[in-house]
Amino acid sequence: MPKNHKPKGGRPSANFEPRYAKKTSFHDRHRQGRPVRDAETGRGAERDARGYDRDARPARDDRRVDSRPGSRSPGHRGYRAEPAAGERAPKQRWSAQERAGRDESRAIRNRAESGRVDAPHRRDDRPRFDRDDRARRDDRPRFDRDDRPRRDDRPRFESTERPRFDRDDRARRDDRPRRDDRSDRPRFDRDDRARRDDRSDRPRFDRDDRARRDDRSDRPRFERTERPRFDRDDRARRDDRPRRDDRSDRPRFDRDDRARRDDRRAPRPARDDWNRGTDRAPKHDAIEDVVHERLAAQSVQAAEVAGVTFGDLGLGSNIVEILSNMGAETPFPIQAASVPAVLEGRDVLARGRTGSGKTIAFGAPLVESILQSQKGKKREFGRSPRAIVLAPTRELALQIDRTIQPIARSVGLFTTQIYGGVPQARQVGALKKGVDIVIGTPGRIEDLINQGKLDLSDVRIAVLDEADHMCELGFVEPVQRILRHTGTALPGGASSQKLLFSATLDREVAALVDEFLVEPAVFEVAGETQDSGTIEHRVLVIEHRDKAEILASLVDRDGRTLVFSRTRAFAEQLAEQFEDAGIPAVSLHGDLNQAKRTRNLQKLTSGRVNVLVATDVAARGIHVDDIDLVVQADAPDEYKTYLHRAGRTGRAGNAGRVVTLITRQRRRRMTELLDRAEIDAPFEEARVGDDLLEEIAGRVPTAADLTS
DNA sequence: AAAAAAG
């Protein structure tokens, strides 16, 4: 008990005091009284906890952590000490990384403050890098020629990844000359040349660049010639497959599945046409092309689903009612497409842009399906889960559970979250009692499987949210291992049904599709590019040394703002910097303990701060109402990351703005990235104090403004 | 680089 109070009474309040003490002297009196009461009676802690709730929110948050069942374990003392030592512990842990980050920040500040004094120093460093770059470039041209053969190889990767986009690219390239952007570009090129002239070495590169540009105009040709090759490769692979042992097993399952599907299909014949359409017979093609060319063929038109209700799609009345309570009165297109397919027992690949209602699209039919399969059976104590949902981050797992849990409870099913960063005890306890749906992150789930505390052999449905992300290096192996555990005890040797969802579903999921999916139904929503709708995109070209100041002026505003940084250290540093500048801000990244992560995100959703600085941990799936500005302090490396970060704003038809800060050197890369993301964004130069910054930080145009 | 396990 005392151990509970010690750190709490002292240090956290010391942390929070400066901000909250201002509010009220009552607050202070209350706070002072508390430890005394706590010391008198052990239980007083709980009563106080309530009294405290109203007046001292930070303390309440701490206390909530305390009152968790697992918190009583002896190890917890050390655990508490972490948040208490808050500012210190992380620093020690990061030392190298953070020092680097801090040096960078000091450099930024110093440059901003003292300008020329420090500048020579830093500039000395920069040219060095530039020179290295040049050196590298010097190498490149040489290789370029040798590369050409290699390039022939390379595009294979590219086009396997995104043939669909390539096609679009072609179209767009044709358009480009017409586009305003295009007419701007030459101007930029001239600027570049000017700069290059300054650097005596550069002109040479210019020529190479031109050469490269010429290549580009040829690219389509390359791609055309290569695609067939891919297809051939693919076909080769397909041909191999039947020979594979795995594959030879599958047909058996297929038949079983088909039998099952046929039964279920009967009551809903009308839907067949758009679920499987013509692709039913050539299923291998369907599987292979899934992710690219054929995807569009199975797209759902918004008009098709007008007037359809969740009930029509096959969901029971309890679920329909709870959905309507949650604000989902009528199904979004992605939901209208996936619900019947899931209920039929088909594997599903679905792509719907950020904020298009994917969680309900798999959550509702998942619950319905589990319910049907349980029909007539009693809920047994200690039953093993029937469904599992995997998410890439803990916050997302939590959020998915917040959506699915009420749906499940409405029909008497139970969910539990299984994710790391918190004591296992409560999660294991829930599993012992028996749950129907497990929602969590790969690490802890695999951990519990290996400990024999989680049994997935009865899992009938496995969902991967943000599936393409889950297929990235380092993520995919645990996911594969987990999926291999699912459904091993299903009757008839059937395998579990797999549902893969993402806003950016592409070739990346091939590894999982090949191994785990059978004749998947593939959906995307027609006519909904990520760019369509309500988000305004802009790119600010800035001097690197201005970054911190420009960020501060962008973030100093009324609306809710989400800032993305590439590294944890920079996220932390920016949050501190904003705080120092008098702008309340918190951070969210993997170097914070889970309690703090949850609390900081909560601070944004509850409105206690308006600025959250996050790493890409917050890029995908996280929904916070009314974020109207997303600032990318560091430009993303991947177009998918851009789309997901941008998708934190402009949700459910609201207006949103995305601003990306880049330096001049990054311009071309950024243009290419935006092309791939199919986003049009003006590039604008900005300096500290420009009115432009104020305008961007100001009112975000609504959808109506944008269309008019 | 980030994310995901540590009674």
Side-chain angles (χ1 to χ4, degrees), chain A residues 299-302 333-334 351-353 356 523-529:
Chain A
S299 65
V300 187
Q301 303 288 337
I334 192 74
R351 181 163 74 171
R353 69 180 217 203
S356 64
F523 300 117
E524 69 168 9
V525 177
E528 281 205 354
T529 65

Side-chain angles (χ1 to χ4, degrees), chain A residues 470-613:
Chain A
M470 304 285 270
C471 285
E472 278 169 24
L473 204 66
F475 249 136
V476 70
E477 293 90 353
V479 169
Q480 285 171 325
R481 288 194 295 264
I482 290 168
L483 288 181
R484 285 177 195 134
H485 281 282
T486 63
T488 48
L490 290 180
S495 57
S496 62
Q497 181 184 358
K498 313 288 191 306
L499 314 178
L500 271 56
F501 280 71
S502 178
T504 52
L505 201 63
D506 64 5
R507 188 64 175 178
E508 206 161 7
V509 296
L512 291 185
V513 172
D514 288 350
E515 181 178 352
F516 295 105
L517 275 73
V518 182
E519 300 172 27
V522 189
F523 300 117
E524 69 168 9
V525 177
E528 281 205 354
T529 65
Q530 198 64 39
D531 185 34
S532 72
T534 56
I535 303 180
E536 183 201 44
H537 301 268
R538 311 174 75 150
V539 177
L540 290 190
V541 183
I542 64 164
E543 296 287 339
H544 187 262
R545 61 164 179 269
D546 292 342
K547 193 185 251 191
E549 263 190 273
I550 287 180
L551 282 169
S553 53
L554 285 175
V555 144
D556 190 7
R557 62 195 294 273
D558 284 334
R560 223 166 251 184
T561 310
L562 179 53
V563 181
F564 282 105
S565 95
R566 198 173 58 95
T567 66
R568 304 158 172 187
F570 191 43
E572 191 62 30
Q573 176 209 313
L574 280 177
E576 281 175 25
Q577 212 166 281
F578 295 154
E579 282 280 339
D580 290 348
I583 307 160
V586 289
S587 62
L588 180 64
H589 55 77
D591 264 335
L592 301 176
N593 64 48
Q594 192 52 39
K596 194 145 193 174
R597 279 169 65 161
T598 309
R599 190 188 318 152
N600 284 358
L601 184 57
Q602 163 68 17
K603 278 186 185 172
L604 183 72
T605 45
S606 69
R608 281 163 60 204
V609 302
N610 268 339
V611 180
L612 177 70
V613 190

Side-chain angles (χ1 to χ4, degrees), chain A residues 383 415-418 425-435:
Chain A
R383 65 197 177 284
T415 69
T416 195
Q417 312 143 2
I418 307 286
R426 203 170 67 166
Q427 298 172 355
V428 173
L431 289 173
K432 274 187 185 150
K433 280 193 271 179
V435 299

Side-chain angles (χ1 to χ4, degrees), chain A residues 138-152 204 207-208 211-212 215:
Chain A
D138 281 341
D139 291 346
R140 260 196 213 163
R142 271 176 247 148
F143 288 117
D144 249 300
R145 275 163 220 153
D146 304 333
D147 255 357
R148 273 175 207 168
R150 247 197 283 151
R151 253 187 211 173
D152 286 345
R204 269 177 246 154
R207 273 166 224 154
D208 293 335
R212 254 187 275 147
D215 285 351

Side-chain angles (χ1 to χ4, degrees), chain A residues 100 279 333 353 411 621 663:
Chain A
D279 282 338
R353 69 180 217 203
V411 296
T663 52

Side-chain angles (χ1 to χ4, degrees), chain A residues 142-204:
Chain A
R142 271 176 247 148
F143 288 117
D144 249 300
R145 275 163 220 153
D146 304 333
D147 255 357
R148 273 175 207 168
R150 247 197 283 151
R151 253 187 211 173
D152 286 345
D153 295 343
R154 253 195 224 160
R156 269 190 220 165
F157 282 108
E158 286 176 17
S159 43
T160 48
E161 279 166 19
R162 37 166 150 126
R164 263 198 72 252
F165 296 115
D166 287 347
R167 274 188 194 168
D168 296 342
D169 275 358
R170 273 182 215 163
R172 256 183 295 133
R173 270 171 206 156
D174 293 337
D175 290 347
R176 263 192 209 163
R178 281 170 244 149
R179 289 204 314 190
D180 292 337
D181 288 353
R182 205 48 184 177
S183 56
D184 287 351
R185 268 198 205 154
R187 270 180 247 152
F188 293 136
D189 287 348
R190 268 167 223 152
D191 292 346
D192 284 347
R193 274 177 211 165
R195 254 194 299 141
R196 278 170 200 159
D197 288 343
D198 295 344
R199 298 175 200 170
S200 48
D201 296 346
R202 280 274 169 100
R204 269 177 246 154

Side-chain angles (χ1 to χ4, degrees), chain A residues 1-70:
Chain A
M1 245 157 303
K3 87 186 168 204
N4 279 351
H5 304 318
K6 212 193 309 171
K8 193 185 314 142
R11 272 165 286 180
S13 61
N15 279 344
F16 286 104
E17 205 109 52
R19 245 179 288 162
Y20 292 94
K22 289 176 198 164
K23 282 190 178 169
T24 159
S25 61
F26 168 76
H27 179 138
D28 288 333
R29 284 201 306 274
H30 193 75
R31 183 174 289 197
Q32 283 162 2
R34 185 184 52 105
V36 181
R37 262 198 270 159
D38 285 358
E40 284 169 0
T41 79
R43 278 186 196 170
E46 282 168 30
R47 270 204 324 260
D48 286 343
R50 279 185 212 141
Y52 226 60
D53 272 359
R54 288 168 213 135
D55 306 310
R57 284 181 181 172
R60 176 192 63 174
D61 283 340
D62 287 344
R63 199 169 285 259
R64 226 186 248 155
V65 172
D66 282 348
S67 63
R68 281 183 187 161

